[in-house]
Every structure is written in structure tokens, then in C-alpha cells.
Amino acid sequence: EPEVTQTPSHQVTQMGQEVILRCVPISNHLYFYWYRQILGQKVEFLVSFYNNEISEKSEIFDDQFSVERPDGSNFTLKIRSTKLEDSAMYFCASSLIDEAFFGQGTRLTVV
Amino acid sequence: GESVGLHLPTLSVQEGDNSIINCAYSNSASDYFIWYKQESGKGPQFIIDIRSNMDKRQGQRVTVLLNKTVKHLSLQIAATQPGDSAVYFCAENMRSGGGADGLTFGKGTHLIIQP
């Protein structure tokens, strides 16, 4: 069964450093998303991406965040200067129409 | 305040019994609702969805009910199995279209299956 894959599974970074979280969506999907889940809290929407551009973004997705689909298969989330409060589980998802498939997540720990 | 929420943080049921997980939402303009299941260490897994023009939708062993009058969503799981143990989230889409665009998730209900 096709699946969304995310790497790395766990990333530890120092405050102020840049991180790139990587995702390989399901190959024929057209819509791509990033969500995050701070430990013990709700899953929160960050951004959606369609046709090589951002289609929606939340208030969380400020200038420190960016997304890219550099080569037609990968979908990346970059955080330019990480803060302690960026520590969370980051989920990538993709969909063709309605049903969205989520990856296993990358646990980002900012120290 | 929270636009999507669940009534119970934990629900414990006997294996083989039916489970009902409830969710309240506050935005009457929401058009699309989804139930997700999240097992430990994994991402949310789509279970079933429903649009606002429907009251009920059935899947394999699962049924979603939507009551727009009281803004209430429920997930019924028939004959629960040990593999159903997980956290269940309802999610609401206040934007047009489906997928996972701008979903608002509730806090989740942890379903525990007793042997």
C-alpha cells in the first residue's frame, strides 16, 4: 500500500539553527500538507500546497517557515531559526481528492 | 475558544462491544468532517468522512453521524477489537473542498479496549 514517508524520524537541533524536515508524498497525489502536534496537545494545521504554491497557511506558519517541492517527489518544511516552542511532532500529509494520508511524523526537539 | 472538541478524554469498552465516540463543533459553516485514528508513534489515519449535506455515513464497522442542529458528530465502532485501541480525533474543515486543507482537530479520545 502506498504511504507517505518522512525523514528523519527524530531530529534534535540547537535553538537558532535551521532545520529541514523531509517528506515523500504518495506519488500521484496533488495536495500536500504540514501539520504539527506539540506533546499532549491537538494536531495543528501549518500549511497546504498545491500546484507548486502555498494554497493555505495558518497563523503558526510565519516567516520562519517555508515549504518547497524541489524535485517533484520530495516536499520539505524548513524552519529558519528554531525556537524552543517549535519542539513538536511534525506530520506531512498528501491527498488526491478527499482522503488524506499522513506520514509517521518527525519528532523535532529544540534544545 | 476551541472550535472542535470531544466530550471524553478516555473511553473504555469491552472487546466485542460497540463504541461511540462523540465530538462537538462550534462553526455551523463547517462543510466537511473527518474522523482520524492515531496509534502510538504513528500519524493520524483516515477512518471516515462526512459532508454537511449528509446525516450518516457507513464504512466497514464504522458509522459517522452528523447532527447539524446541535453541531454534534459521533463515530460508532461496531464489535470493537484490540486493534481499535488508539486516540480518535474528529476534525473539521471550515474551508471548501476535502483533503486535509486547514483542518481543525479536536483534542482526541483515547479508546481503551478491555479484554
Side-chain angles (χ1 to χ4, degrees), chain B residues 8-13 18-22 86 109-113:
Chain B
L8 290 173
T10 302
L11 176 65
S12 184
V13 299
N18 297 334
S19 303
I20 300 176
I21 301 172
N22 296 304
T109 292
H110 186 191
L111 180 64
I112 298 170
I113 310 301

Side-chain angles (χ1 to χ4, degrees), chain A residues 24-36:
Chain A
V24 179
I26 294 172
S27 60
N28 64 334
H29 284 187
L30 302 175
Y31 301 86
F32 314 105
Y33 318 89
W34 283 101
Y35 280 77
R36 78 172 185 189

Side-chain angles (χ1 to χ4, degrees), chain A residues 33 35 37 40-45 47-49 55-58 89 91 93 95 97-105, chain B residues 2-4 32 34 36 38 41-46 49 51 89 95 97-108:
Chain A
Y33 318 89
Y35 280 77
Q37 186 177 28
Q41 297 189 24
K42 296 186 286 185
V43 177
E44 299 174 292
F45 170 71
V47 66
S48 58
F49 192 86
S55 50
E56 295 285 350
K57 61 181 181 178
S58 70
M89 196 77 168
F91 293 107
S95 66
I97 305 174
D98 280 351
E99 182 175 346
F101 293 79
F102 282 74
Q104 305 265 59
Chain B
E2 187 178 279
S3 72
V4 180
Y32 181 58
I34 309 140
Y36 285 95
Q38 187 176 25
K42 296 185 178 180
Q45 178 188 355
F46 176 97
D49 60 1
R51 292 197 179 276
F89 296 93
R95 296 172 174 83
D101 192 11
L103 293 175
T104 300
F105 280 77
K107 283 187 178 177

Side-chain angles (χ1 to χ4, degrees), chain B:
Chain B
E2 187 178 279
S3 72
V4 180
L6 293 169
H7 294 305
L8 290 173
T10 302
L11 176 65
S12 184
V13 299
Q14 292 290 126
E15 183 179 346
D17 286 353
N18 297 334
S19 303
I20 300 176
I21 301 172
N22 296 304
C23 177
Y25 65 95
S26 60
N27 192 331
S28 55
S30 291
D31 182 59
Y32 181 58
F33 305 88
I34 309 140
W35 281 100
Y36 285 95
K37 171 185 180 183
Q38 187 176 25
E39 296 173 282
S40 181
K42 296 185 178 180
Q45 178 188 355
F46 176 97
I47 302 173
I48 192 167
D49 60 1
I50 190 167
R51 292 197 179 276
S52 60
N53 61 351
M54 300 173 71
D55 297 321
K56 179 179 179 178
R57 192 159 186 231
Q58 287 185 291
Q60 188 177 14
R61 277 202 310 119
V62 294
T63 301
V64 55
L65 299 176
L66 176 63
N67 186 331
K68 295 181 286 293
T69 303
V70 294
K71 290 184 282 190
H72 185 267
L73 191 69
S74 68
L75 177 70
Q76 300 177 1
I77 304 173
T80 47
Q81 302 167 359
D84 294 329
S85 289
V87 178
Y88 289 81
F89 296 93
C90 65
E92 167 187 17
N93 194 334
M94 290 182 272
R95 296 172 174 83
S96 60
D101 192 11
L103 293 175
T104 300
F105 280 77
K107 283 187 178 177
T109 292
H110 186 191
L111 180 64
I112 298 170
I113 310 301
Q114 306 277 8

